């Protein structure tokens, strides 16, 4: 689960993203992978901010797509990714 808070009118990232994971216990370097995943999610949200994307469905899509590609490249697995974008 990826949780982030954005400004509803500007798309500016206010807090997060925070990652809550289950099932990465058996993977070597899982803490490092999760830190990198957090940076990837933040990068995706910052790109959306620069492109003035404010629709929460598009924000969720970009975060999920970015993390899916990253995690598959690192682990050769396709975990379930649930982005939660809160607008304020």
């Amino acid at each position: 689960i990826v949780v982030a808070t954005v400004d509803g009118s500007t798309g500016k990232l206010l807090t997060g993203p925070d990652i809550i994971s289950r099932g990465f216990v058996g993977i070597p370097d899982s803490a490092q992978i999760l830190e990198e995943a957090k940076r990837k999610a933040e990068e995706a949200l910052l790109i959306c901010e620069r492109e003035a994307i404010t629709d929460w469905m598009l924000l969720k899509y970009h975060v999920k797509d970015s993390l899916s590609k990253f995690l598959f490249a690192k682990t050769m697995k396709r975990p379930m990714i649930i982005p939660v974008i809160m607008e304020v």
Side-chain angles (χ1 to χ4, degrees), residues 47-64:
I47 288 169
C48 289
E49 181 182 330
R50 279 194 299 268
E51 295 179 3
I53 297 172
T54 58
D55 180 29
W56 64 273
M57 287 296 289
L58 286 174
L59 293 171
K60 287 170 61 171
Y61 170 79
H62 285 286
V63 169
K64 187 174 182 175

Side-chain angles (χ1 to χ4, degrees), residues 21-68:
S21 79
R22 300 291 180 258
F24 261 55
V25 176
I27 297 175
D29 303 323
S30 63
Q32 180 183 355
I33 291 172
L34 290 176
E35 274 302 311
E36 289 180 53
K38 184 176 178 178
R39 285 193 297 274
K40 289 289 183 184
E42 185 175 8
E43 287 173 17
L45 289 168
L46 291 175
I47 288 169
C48 289
E49 181 182 330
R50 279 194 299 268
E51 295 179 3
I53 297 172
T54 58
D55 180 29
W56 64 273
M57 287 296 289
L58 286 174
L59 293 171
K60 287 170 61 171
Y61 170 79
H62 285 286
V63 169
K64 187 174 182 175
D65 186 55
S66 176
L67 286 180
S68 293

